[in-house]
Amino acid sequence: MKTLFLFRPEPGWSVSSKTALDMGLDVSGAPLFTVEPVDWEVPDPEQFDGLLVGSANVFRHGGKQIDRLTKLPVHAVGDATADAARNAGFLIGRTGRGGLQSLLDELDGRELHLLRLAGEDRVTLRLPEKIRMETKIVYRAVPQSMTDDDIARLRTGGVVALHSGAAAERLQVEFDRHDMDRSQVDLAVIGPRVAEMAGEGWRSVEIADAPGDSELLALARALCQTDE
């Protein structure tokens, strides 16, 4: 069985690692970036009809400022982000299933002014005709280097699970920096955008059936069980 490499930041890395180990997988890897808050100013909540949020990191790193926005419903990209919003005291307006653009399209037809809370690395969105949006950056990803052990193990192949575009970009940087052969590695990615950001040259690139950790790890397990 091939080794599964995980590179998402904490606390997600530990959660995914435990799940993968419980699935009987050989797990390696370490976060390729850490997430840290940035200074930001809260606009007047009365100007908005809701929040658009694409990551639970918004609620982990948004600081005390975010408490001023709890009266606004959260339109969350997925279940994990919705759970983080509830734990932070927010009500959920809508929970997406296929990425932020899909979620935004579901709101089409409504006249809304949304406040998007995001990280520095974020997907470009196409706004429906009646929706206006303002964006505030509340966190950023700080790059980390791949460990020598992971570099050595990946030179012989394996499966990498990618939970985000930031992880995909970081993986490319590390492979190029260490002159590693992409054709030895299979990628399991959480969505089409991440697949595009991962670039070309990999042994295979497979997209999870749904943008969730459990679906991604199920795909990764299947790839780990394929013939060398």
Side-chain angles (χ1 to χ4, degrees):
M1 180 178 288
K2 298 175 185 177
T3 298
L4 172 64
F5 293 84
L6 298 172
F7 293 120
R8 68 186 307 198
E10 292 288 13
W13 193 95
S14 293
V15 173
S16 295
S17 177
K18 182 180 184 306
T19 302
L21 288 170
D22 290 344
M23 295 166 68
L25 298 176
D26 175 27
V27 178
S28 189
L32 285 183
F33 50 90
T34 56
V35 178
E36 64 179 24
V38 301
D39 292 333
W40 65 290
E41 294 183 1
V42 182
D44 181 4
E46 298 298 326
Q47 297 179 5
F48 301 94
D49 302 300
L51 303 177
L52 184 69
V53 182
S55 172
N57 283 320
V58 165
F59 304 102
R60 297 187 188 114
H61 302 284
K64 293 182 178 179
Q65 302 99 303
I66 209 164
D67 293 340
R68 291 183 52 197
L69 300 172
T70 53
K71 291 184 179 180
L72 295 174
V74 173
H75 302 294
V77 69
D79 290 333
T81 302
D83 288 342
R86 290 189 189 95
N87 292 337
F90 287 83
L91 295 176
I92 304 303
R94 189 180 292 267
T95 302
R97 291 291 182 270
L100 268 186
Q101 185 61 61
S102 176
L103 173 60
L104 201 56
D105 290 343
E106 291 178 12
L107 298 172
D108 192 8
R110 299 170 59 181
E111 192 165 337
L112 297 171
H113 187 195
L114 299 177
L115 175 61
R116 182 184 183 185
L117 302 180
E120 285 185 346
D121 171 61
R122 60 195 185 281
V123 63
T124 300
L125 297 174
R126 181 186 67 258
L127 293 179
E129 184 178 353
K130 294 184 178 181
I131 294 180
R132 295 178 296 135
M133 187 173 71
E134 181 178 333
T135 300
K136 288 290 184 180
I137 305 303
V138 303
Y139 68 90
R140 63 171 165 246
V142 180
Q144 305 292 315
S145 298
M146 191 179 289
T147 67
D148 291 341
D149 181 61
D150 286 335
I151 293 169
R153 298 187 73 183
L154 276 167
R155 289 192 189 281
T156 64
V159 175
V160 176
L162 294 176
H163 288 77
S164 69
E169 290 184 328
R170 198 61 214 141
L171 185 69
Q172 287 194 82
V173 168
E174 289 296 285
F175 262 70
D176 291 345
R177 189 161 71 95
H178 297 289
D179 194 26
M180 300 165 68
D181 184 2
R182 300 185 187 193
S183 68
Q184 300 296 312
V185 176
D186 298 284
L187 300 185
V189 303
I190 204 163
R193 171 179 174 264
V194 179
E196 292 177 6
M197 296 180 71
E200 300 178 348
W202 306 100
R203 185 175 184 269
S204 69
V205 180
E206 302 290 339
I207 301 172
D209 291 336
D213 189 46
S214 59
E215 291 85 358
L216 179 59
L217 292 179
L219 171 61
R221 177 174 60 182
L223 292 175
C224 287
Q225 293 172 339
T226 58
D227 294 335
E228 295 288 349

